[in-house]
Structure formats: C-alpha cells, structure tokens
C-alpha cells in the first residue's frame, strides 16, 4: 500500500503562485504514476496533471497547461505541483493520487487533499 499526504495549500491573490507537495510513503517502489486532481464546491473532480515516475513524462489538462508544472523528487518520494498565474477559478481542494505497477491501473491511493483559495 501507499500513503499520500499533501501540503502547501493556502490563500493567494490572483496572479500569484503556490507550490503543493505530495509526500508518498509505504510501497513507493511500486508507484508508476502520480496525478493531481482538484474539486471545487458543487463541481466534479477534475484532472490537473500527472507524472510518470519511470521516465518523468508529464501531462496536463488544457486549463492549467503553461501555468502549472509537476515535478518529482525521487530521493524524497515527493511530487510537487508548482502553480503560477493563479486564477480564482483555480480555487479547489487539490488531491494527489497514485497508480501502482502499471500506467493502466486505476488511481487507487489518494491523499486527504489541501485547500487552495485564489482571491480576485
């Protein structure tokens, strides 16, 4: 199993930046992909982006492409989400999740989330 803990959320003005971190523990050697998701009140959960632990490849949703960057620190088993040029519509609960062993697995392990509020 894998345990995930997010940190770094908070309140920021529009145009500002925040850096979220997802710390993994447990069977981290089995992690294949870590993804970031967000959910605003009254809305469905939305995919933000992900990173492949094997080759470092990343992908992003169109809504954050060019503003958000996902990176991984293999020594610390952390995956960071750097968020720049934040907009009020980026406000949400941000959660990380992992796929184990294969990129075709489901995101079976989730963190508790960290809140991001962007004021206009």
């Amino acid at each position: 199993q894998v345990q995930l803990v997010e940190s770094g959320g908070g309140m920021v003005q529009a145009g500002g930046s925040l850096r979220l971190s997802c710390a993994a523990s447990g069977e981290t050697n089995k992690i294949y992909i870590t993804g970031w998701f967000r959910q605003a009140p009254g809305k469905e959960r939305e995919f933000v982006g992900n990173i492949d632990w094997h080759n470092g490849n990343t992908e992003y949703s169109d809504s954050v492409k060019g503003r958000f960057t996902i990176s991984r620190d293999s020594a610390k088993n952390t995956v960071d989400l750097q968020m720049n040029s934040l907009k009020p519509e980026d406000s949400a609960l941000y959660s990380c999740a992992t796929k184990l062993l294969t990129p075709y697995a489901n995101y079976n392990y989730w963190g508790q989330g960290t809140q991001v509020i962007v004021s206009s």
Side-chain angles (χ1 to χ4, degrees), residues 59-75:
E59 59 177 343
Y60 301 94
S61 67
D62 288 343
S63 61
V64 306
K65 197 173 296 182
R67 299 188 297 123
F68 291 12
T69 303
I70 297 174
S71 60
R72 177 175 66 87
D73 186 325
S74 57

Side-chain angles (χ1 to χ4, degrees), residues 8 18-19 28 37 43 77 83 86 119:
L18 276 177
R19 189 176 184 91
T28 57
F37 296 80
K43 295 188 176 181
N77 289 325
M83 306 186 293
L86 283 162
S119 61

Side-chain angles (χ1 to χ4, degrees), residues 105-117:
N106 293 324
Y107 285 104
N108 285 325
Y109 297 92
W110 292 79
Q112 82 289 348
T114 185
Q115 191 72 43
V116 171
I117 299 174

Side-chain angles (χ1 to χ4, degrees), residues 89-111:
E89 51 264 42
D90 293 319
S91 298
L93 181 69
Y94 283 72
S95 301
C96 61
T98 63
K99 298 184 179 186
L100 301 188
L101 299 177
T102 166
Y104 309 108
N106 293 324
Y107 285 104
N108 285 325
Y109 297 92
W110 292 79

Side-chain angles (χ1 to χ4, degrees), residues 6-25:
E6 302 94 337
S7 61
M11 182 179 293
V12 65
Q13 288 189 331
S17 299
L18 276 177
R19 189 176 184 91
L20 308 184
S21 186
C22 173
S25 60

